[in-house]
Amino acid sequence: MQKGAQPSDTCRAILSYTGVVYRNHLQNGVKKGAFGQEEADRRFDAWLNEKNTKIEGKRSKLIPAPSRPTRPASMPRSARPPRWPPS
């Protein structure tokens, strides 16, 4: 990210998701003397932990809910509710 070609939109999205863009931003702050390397590492670690927590929260919501009860195998076909549209 320090030198080279401009990343495409897709590439930039991937780099941003993985934290490369934020790490580059912090390194530029260190170069300019805004804060030290230790502070940059602390900020990046805090960001990374927050991001991982957010991802795990979303992942836990994606656990499938229990499925609807299905008709028992012993239930006769005529007892099933009609299908729509009728075939």
Side-chain angles (χ1 to χ4, degrees), residues 61-80:
K61 289 180 183 179
L62 293 177
I63 294 175
S67 61
R68 292 185 353 194
T70 58
R71 72 173 177 88
S74 61
M75 182 183 284
R77 187 168 250 257
S78 61
R80 289 193 314 179

Side-chain angles (χ1 to χ4, degrees), residues 11-73:
C11 179
R12 183 167 175 78
I14 293 169
L15 294 174
S16 178
Y17 181 81
T18 58
V20 174
V21 174
Y22 187 57
R23 172 69 82 170
N24 182 47
H25 171 73
L26 292 173
Q27 289 302 324
N28 288 336
V30 170
K31 275 197 242 178
K32 293 178 181 179
F35 44 82
Q37 184 64 43
E38 297 81 22
E39 176 67 17
D41 292 339
R42 187 191 64 73
R43 289 182 186 188
F44 183 76
D45 290 338
W47 174 83
L48 193 59
N49 289 335
E50 181 180 329
K51 180 176 176 58
N52 287 335
T53 303
K54 189 183 295 186
I55 290 171
E56 286 303 317
K58 288 181 181 180
R59 188 175 289 167
S60 67
K61 289 180 183 179
L62 293 177
I63 294 175
S67 61
R68 292 185 353 194
T70 58
R71 72 173 177 88

